[in-house]
Amino acid sequence: MSEGSGSLTMDEKQKPAFIRVRGICKSFPGVQVLDDVSLDLHRGEIRGLTGENGSGKSTLAKILTGLYQPEAGSIEIDGKEVLLKGPASAASYGIIAVSQELTLAPELTVAENICLGQLPRKKLGTVDWQRCRLIARDVLARLNLEIDEQAIVGKLPIELRQAVEIARALSRNAKLLILDEATSSLSEAATDRLLTIVEEMRDKDAAILMITHRMPELYRSASRATVLRDGKVVDTVALPATSESTLVRLMVGREVGDYYGARTSAPGDVVMRVRGLDTDGGVLGGASFDLRRGEILGIAGLVGSGKSELALAIAGAIPSTGSIEVAGRQLKDRSPRGALAAGIGYVPDDRKAAAILPRRSVVENFALGWMDNVSRYGFMRVREERRRVNEASADYGVRALSEAVPIALLSGGNQQKVVVGRTFGRAECNIFVLHEPTRGIDVAAKSELYKLVQAEVDAGAAVIVVSSELPELLGLADRILVFHRGRVHAEFAAGQVDEETLAAVAVSGTDSGMDLAREGEAMWADITDGASPSLR
Amino acid sequence: MESTDNNRSIGLAKKSYVRLAQGKQSGLLIALLSVCTYFAITEPIFATWGNVTNIVSSNSSVLILAIGATFVILIGQLDLSAAAAAAASGVAMGLALESAAPTVVAVVLPIAVGVAIGLINGALIAWAKISFLVVTLGTMSILMTIALVPSDGHTISVFGFAGFGPIASFVNSGVGPFPVLMLFDVLLVALAIVVLRFTKFGRSVFAIGSNIEAARLNGIHVTRMIISVYVLAGMTAGMASIVQVGRLTGASPAVDMTQLMTVIAAVLIGGTAFSGGEGGVLGTVLGVVFLSVVQNGVTLSEVSSFWQGAINGCILIAAVGLGSLRGSGGRLGPRRRGGRRGRIRA
């Protein structure tokens, strides 16, 4: 299939492409992952590559970096056909990838990491450390990064580590930089910084392939986006001329309709009162708020603002002090068991580490939350369990080969549906804390999940959504609390606030969002890796 | 991977998954049959009923210990003190018989000692949060020494004591052609399978081994479960010691380290994942039978028994190695940091 040529201007057609991918096919046992994929990339272009999970984006990236060999098709660089035998061979053509999984050596310094694999030598063959440091300093300066080249990589915040990866790519004179969901673990501010760096690289005539399903990033940086669906190129469209809904329709292959769904119910009585909630280490310091029946309460805030700790503390996953009152009764047992007994269900942010039993079946994963409901005198009622799982599986739209397959074989979106379905299916729970509920899942699955949440709230539940995706909070929540330094800093009702204001308040810690730039710089220094260490 | 037509694809895939699940043990089963065929041809005694009952009786204690070890390995841990606990329980039983205790005491005491040891192991691991390797290595070392003290390192002979009679006749008698021990083993295995597959306890064992944090967040009482699993392992050590003392008519205070190796090897050969959360008792039974048959055959072939450990080691590495080569364990297992993730499609 050729690219949708309608959106190409004459000018772009005349310039010879840096890399031409022609008719790439790749299959894994039972699945055609890429089917006749063609793609041209020019120097000085940022190209978005987008599509649902499983559409073949990452596989294409792996072929371009030599990690996979295609079964058919060709790759031309500057008009010459090349064979990419592995990452080293791809790097020799200037193709460097930065992925969400960092490939840095955490024990080494920034300079050592940047030069790793191409360490400068002295005459006798010993390493020229001084030149190594100079190279690193030079690259970091070119990217306007104020990172000490002698710092140990493992001690840097994650966004700076990602920046070091990009610096390394730059030091290798990357002619094609592939960003494979490189921003998925970054905060908004860090993402902004990285996109600026990437745009500078584009201005220095590098070609950039940006794989992401984050719309704001595509619209900000990419001039065109190629959409993959089921391993085929659906279209290549110009940005920002193409609307978000068109892009989503191309990815999903049908109209998604109302993306966030809707509710008929209105918030009712207060079901949970939180007063002066603190956690050890002081990340959370005196958080207070109410939650009502039939309400979705959104929690926004930067990494380190305490929003993660709030979710963990309410769920009993980490110890906390202060008052949590559920239906008028004090919650004394601050363990997950205690929270569950009080009717608080929790969907963790890290699916792999804290939610799924990767090797166990879909049935067991569902039933993990229902064991008391589907057992009698300690014995599982297998038939009842099976029936309920089948029912939930259909209700929550879980697409799996069978309910007997290990859950690790399902896509992220389907795994998340199981986790959410398990939690909502707990008979004793009517308050739910959803912690980054749509992290790492694709657009269609997100929309399905939003509608499931809305339906649950319509049925009388109260939901807290803790999320770093502001559009999600704006689309779902009745009220949004912005956390800053461990407490509720601002509160907005639905429709009262837009994304910019919310982001500004979260960063600045002032309602006005004034002095945003200066505060933003200061924040940059405090931002730390927020991957809830207490869980490990 | 995914299908929009839920119902139809489930029916189709169930069959193929069942096939796949059987495939996990089919390799071991084929190997077992081949080994049996070989010995049946080369050693005429091998295929006699007498030899079969001999294999069963002499490996009964290993099987009982291996059932306990399966639970421990399923939660992703290891009980290095199993064999030492059996020896200590045996000594307790010997001492009881020596001081003219009745049969009931002689049976209950070693089990109680095993349970106590399990309780100590479990409490130190789950409450004091000390690594299971450190705790069980420690208790192993302690028990090895303590067991030697009362009898000054000598085997306590229980032959002729009044309380021992019923135990000896239980261990050595039979129902029709079947030794009582064989029936006892079958009963124990069936019980363990039911517990693992059809009880909340069993599900919790798998959940903890698969993802301990997910188990905790879903309200499973993780500390209580870990302690219970070690208590269960201790209980099997007590039972194994009764069988051992009954068969040998004496309690040896010397810990048989090859017994510990055999027990762990059997569980792993049977397909229980070292990292926990996957496997089961049926596989363990196959593992024990396989190792026992090989040992028996090798003995019949008049190969020096010194080679037994080397043979077991080769079998262990080959069986577990082939299992992970086939990818069933490796693909779904947790990867090292920085390695590529086990996603099917990303």
Side-chain angles (χ1 to χ4, degrees):
Chain A
M1 182 191 265
S2 68
E3 287 187 63
S5 53
S7 50
L8 296 182
T9 64
M10 280 312 286
D11 184 42
E12 280 165 328
K13 272 186 180 166
Q14 280 157 359
K15 230 172 26 177
F18 166 65
I19 186 165
R20 291 168 75 94
V21 174
R22 284 286 164 270
I24 294 282
C25 294
K26 175 78 188 173
S27 61
F28 293 126
V31 213
Q32 186 76 32
V33 189
L34 290 176
D35 185 3
D36 195 17
V37 168
S38 299
L39 189 75
D40 286 3
L41 262 172
H42 298 264
R43 289 196 171 78
E45 175 186 10
I46 298 183
R47 171 74 66 91
L49 181 64
T50 189
E52 292 191 80
N53 287 347
S55 59
K57 301 177 306 252
S58 292
T59 307
L60 183 60
K62 282 178 179 147
I63 285 174
L64 288 178
T65 47
L67 282 168
Y68 292 159
Q69 297 306 315
E71 280 140 16
S74 65
I75 297 169
E76 281 175 28
I77 290 176
D78 284 329
K80 261 186 284 176
E81 189 166 335
V82 294
L83 186 64
L84 304 173
K85 283 174 292 220
S89 129
S92 72
Y93 291 107
I95 303 175
I96 312 274
V98 176
S99 72
Q100 54 190 1
E101 290 146 26
L102 297 174
T103 56
L104 299 171
E107 319 295 333
L108 299 183
T109 66
V110 171
E112 284 162 351
N113 265 294
I114 287 176
C115 297
L116 209 61
Q118 45 169 26
L119 286 169
R121 305 287 170 126
K122 288 185 192 165
K123 271 184 197 146
L124 289 171
T126 53
V127 175
D128 190 344
W129 288 116
Q130 200 163 356
R131 242 188 76 211
C132 169
R133 278 198 292 277
L134 284 176
I135 292 172
R137 210 176 299 165
D138 174 55
V139 174
L140 294 171
R142 263 157 65 199
L143 292 171
N144 291 325
L145 286 171
E146 282 165 25
I147 305 176
D148 180 8
E149 77 274 5
Q150 301 275 52
I152 300 293
V153 162
K155 291 187 177 156
L156 293 175
I158 189 160
E159 45 268 38
L160 292 189
R161 275 183 257 168
Q162 206 99 36
V164 171
E165 282 243 16
I166 292 187
R168 182 166 68 173
L170 189 68
S171 82
R172 278 164 206 203
N173 294 319
K175 292 178 191 148
L176 170 59
L177 177 68
I178 301 173
L179 299 170
D180 187 358
E181 304 280 5
T183 59
S184 60
S185 50
L186 302 190
S187 68
E188 308 241 333
T191 301
D192 180 64
R193 182 94 161 205
L194 283 188
L195 290 180
T196 310
I197 293 168
V198 168
E199 283 156 13
E200 278 165 16
M201 286 182 72
R202 171 196 60 195
D203 297 340
K204 286 170 186 157
D205 235 19
I208 286 135
L209 185 64
M210 199 164 100
I211 300 176
T212 182
H213 39 239
R214 286 194 171 178
M215 292 294 168
E217 291 167 25
L218 280 181
Y219 277 86
R220 168 178 160 170
S221 300
S223 57
R224 287 189 292 166
T226 297
V227 181
L228 285 181
R229 187 169 74 229
D230 298 331
K232 294 194 179 84
V233 173
V234 182
D235 202 353
T236 295
V237 296
L239 292 178
T242 311
S243 75
E244 206 172 308
S245 59
T246 312
L247 205 53
V248 169
R249 185 172 46 75
L250 287 172
M251 286 161 69
V252 181
R254 59 187 157 79
E255 288 293 347
V256 178
D258 184 11
Y259 191 55
Y260 292 104
R263 256 172 298 148
T264 51
S265 66
D269 307 334
V270 172
V271 287
M272 184 164 79
R273 244 181 258 279
V274 175
R275 292 289 176 272
L277 196 62
D278 290 331
T279 53
D280 296 349
V283 183
L284 203 58
S288 303
F289 62 90
D290 290 347
L291 176 70
R292 294 169 178 281
R293 176 187 307 279
E295 176 182 52
I296 299 181
L297 181 63
I299 308 284
L302 295 176
V303 175
S305 65
K307 69 174 196 301
S308 273
E309 287 72 15
L310 175 79
L312 294 168
I314 294 177
I318 58 172
S320 62
T321 54
S323 145
I324 299 176
E325 206 181 288
V326 179
R329 215 178 296 156
Q330 274 293 329
L331 178 60
K332 286 200 193 89
D333 179 2
R334 298 288 179 83
S335 70
R337 289 175 62 81
L340 287 167
I344 303 171
Y346 176 58
V347 172
D349 57 339
D350 193 334
R351 196 161 46 242
K352 246 183 212 157
I356 61 166
L357 312 175
R359 292 160 171 229
R360 307 310 301 172
S361 67
V362 174
V363 175
E364 279 184 48
N365 269 281
F366 261 121
L368 176 62
W370 310 338
M371 285 209 279
D372 290 331
N373 305 121
V374 292
S375 63
R376 194 182 289 151
Y377 312 121
F379 283 89
M380 301 301 292
R381 292 153 65 197
V382 179
R383 220 171 275 166
E384 171 71 4
E385 177 187 33
R386 182 99 210 165
R387 189 187 64 74
R388 286 196 51 179
V389 168
N390 278 329
E391 217 175 85
S393 208
D395 286 353
Y396 288 86
V398 177
R399 284 182 284 275
L401 270 172
S402 122
E403 266 110 39
V405 299
I407 195 169
L409 295 179
L410 270 56
S411 72
N414 280 309
Q415 290 179 9
Q416 189 70 354
K417 285 180 205 162
V418 173
V419 174
V420 170
R422 169 213 289 166
T423 313
F424 283 172
R426 277 180 173 276
E428 74 273 28
C429 292
N430 60 348
I431 296 171
F432 299 100
V433 180
L434 311 183
H435 195 178
E436 305 287 357
T438 60
R439 179 176 280 176
I441 68 177
D442 62 57
V443 183
K446 270 186 190 176
S447 181
E448 287 175 60
L449 268 177
Y450 294 144
K451 284 164 191 163
L452 293 170
V453 173
Q454 304 269 28
E456 191 67 22
V457 175
D458 257 344
V463 172
I464 297 176
V465 179
V466 176
S467 175
S468 42
E469 292 203 27
L470 299 179
E472 172 171 299
L473 294 178
L474 291 164
L476 280 180
D478 297 294
R479 278 188 301 146
I480 298 174
L481 306 180
V482 182
F483 267 67
H484 189 77
R485 301 192 186 202
R487 53 173 68 218
V488 178
H489 183 72
E491 175 174 339
F492 298 99
Q496 230 185 39
V497 64
D498 59 12
E499 202 176 329
E500 282 71 31
T501 319
L502 215 50
V505 173
V507 171
S508 69
T510 63
D511 290 2
S512 61
M514 292 276 283
D515 293 334
L516 200 142
R518 194 165 48 77
E519 288 270 353
E521 285 299 316
M523 273 305 301
W524 182 260
D526 321 325
I527 291 170
T528 47
D529 183 0
S532 37
S534 49
L535 276 180
R536 258 137 270 200
Chain B
M1 250 328 288
E2 289 174 35
S3 159
T4 38
D5 187 352
N6 233 357
N7 296 328
R8 201 184 50 197
S9 61
I10 284 175
L12 265 176
K14 202 190 290 169
K15 275 181 212 146
S16 67
Y17 187 71
V18 168
R19 243 194 350 255
L20 217 124
Q22 288 164 342
K24 265 181 202 162
Q25 252 103 48
S26 65
L28 187 56
L29 212 56
I30 291 167
L32 179 61
L33 288 176
S34 333
V35 169
C36 286
T37 315
Y38 172 80
F39 286 132
I41 293 166
T42 55
E43 305 297 331
I45 303 169
F46 179 80
T48 59
W49 183 247
N51 190 47
V52 171
T53 55
N54 173 42
I55 292 177
V56 171
S57 305
S58 54
N59 291 286
S60 203
S61 57
V62 167
L63 178 68
I64 295 168
L65 282 174
I67 291 171
T70 305
F71 280 79
V72 179
I73 294 178
L74 277 176
I75 61 166
Q77 304 195 356
L78 200 57
D79 182 4
L80 295 174
S81 70
S89 308
V91 168
M93 181 180 171
L95 291 173
L97 286 169
E98 223 175 23
S99 52
T103 309
V104 183
V105 175
V107 170
V108 171
L109 185 69
I111 292 178
V113 169
V115 165
I117 292 167
L119 211 60
I120 292 168
N121 277 336
L124 287 173
I125 292 163
W127 278 333
K129 309 232 179 285
I130 307 171
S131 153
F132 61 89
L133 284 176
V134 174
V135 170
T136 59
L137 191 66
T139 48
M140 173 182 88
S141 178
I142 294 166
L143 292 170
M144 279 170 96
T145 321
I146 290 184
L148 293 172
V149 174
S151 64
D152 223 6
H154 300 297
T155 298
I156 305 168
S157 172
V158 295
F159 188 75
F161 288 117
F164 185 63
I167 296 172
S169 58
F170 174 80
V171 168
N172 297 313
S173 66
V175 178
F178 301 104
V180 167
L181 271 184
M182 186 190 265
L183 302 176
F184 180 72
D185 288 348
V186 169
L187 202 72
L188 208 60
V189 166
L191 195 69
I193 289 175
V194 167
V195 166
L196 265 186
R197 288 212 188 143
F198 302 113
T199 65
K200 263 172 69 179
F201 181 87
R203 286 298 180 79
S204 306
V205 164
F206 281 117
I208 289 173
S210 199
N211 186 341
I212 192 166
E213 183 62 15
R216 186 177 80 97
L217 289 178
N218 278 285
I220 291 175
H221 220 305
V222 174
T223 46
R224 199 180 289 170
M225 279 296 303
I226 291 175
I227 294 171
S228 311
V229 165
Y230 278 95
V231 165
L232 200 139
M235 211 157 76
T236 59
M239 285 193 265
S241 76
I242 298 172
V243 172
Q244 251 165 348
V245 172
R247 278 183 44 78
L248 303 174
T249 60
S252 165
V255 176
D256 183 3
M257 285 307 280
T258 52
Q259 188 183 44
L260 175 68
M261 299 297 178
T262 312
V263 165
I264 295 171
V267 176
L268 298 180
I269 290 169
T272 296
F274 208 17
S275 48
E278 203 179 17
V281 171
L282 215 53
T284 299
V285 173
L286 273 180
V288 172
V289 171
F290 189 67
L291 290 179
S292 315
V293 162
V294 170
Q295 185 192 18
N296 178 261
V298 166
T299 313
L300 290 178
S301 317
E302 285 168 7
V303 175
S304 161
S305 65
F306 295 141
W307 284 103
Q308 194 54 50
I311 293 168
N312 282 3
C314 291
I315 295 171
L316 172 66
I317 292 172
V320 178
L322 286 175
S324 57
L325 265 189
R326 208 169 41 213
S328 60
R331 204 174 52 204
L332 300 178
R335 291 292 173 117
R336 278 182 301 139
R337 285 194 78 178
R340 268 184 283 140
R341 296 285 149 88
R343 287 259 177 79
I344 303 306
R345 289 196 282 163

